[in-house]
Amino acid sequence: WMTNDAVIIEVEFQLESEYQPYGHFVCLRFIDNYPQKNKLTSLIKDMGQYPDVKLVDYEFKIEPITEATDIRGLEITKH
């Protein structure tokens, strides 16, 4: 029996490409399931699939969703 909770994940990706010597930072904020983090795992995989872009590093934080959490502007996907 595994609990599946919805959480907010904020992630920052550090990317490099031959066209941009200083690199790129991509910051995303979205709702994901926990503890599986399927959307985050998918994004990490997607960032690494392009030959002209290299995923250097990433950091993320998880924010639990409570009654007081403002989720306006976040897309909710029901399965």
Side-chain angles (χ1 to χ4, degrees):
W1 171 257
M2 182 183 289
T3 303
N4 187 6
D5 291 325
V7 296
I8 296 174
I9 294 184
E10 292 184 21
V11 61
E12 179 180 273
F13 294 101
Q14 180 183 356
L15 306 168
E16 288 183 356
S17 70
E18 60 184 86
Y19 310 110
Q20 194 58 254
Y22 301 111
H24 310 273
F25 288 89
V26 176
C27 300
L28 302 172
R29 185 172 190 256
F30 53 88
I31 294 177
D32 204 351
N33 60 338
Y34 184 83
Q36 298 86 358
K37 302 184 293 285
N38 292 336
K39 189 178 277 189
L40 177 61
T41 303
S42 178
L43 282 169
I44 293 167
K45 182 180 171 189
D46 289 347
M47 293 286 181
Q49 81 178 43
Y50 301 101
D52 56 339
V53 177
K54 177 183 173 191
L55 175 58
V56 177
D57 197 12
Y58 65 92
E59 292 182 11
F60 67 92
K61 72 177 189 175
I62 297 173
E63 175 187 337
I65 296 176
T66 67
E67 309 82 43
T69 305
D70 182 5
I71 60 170
R72 286 179 293 179
L74 295 172
E75 180 181 310
I76 299 172
T77 305
K78 297 180 182 179
H79 296 280

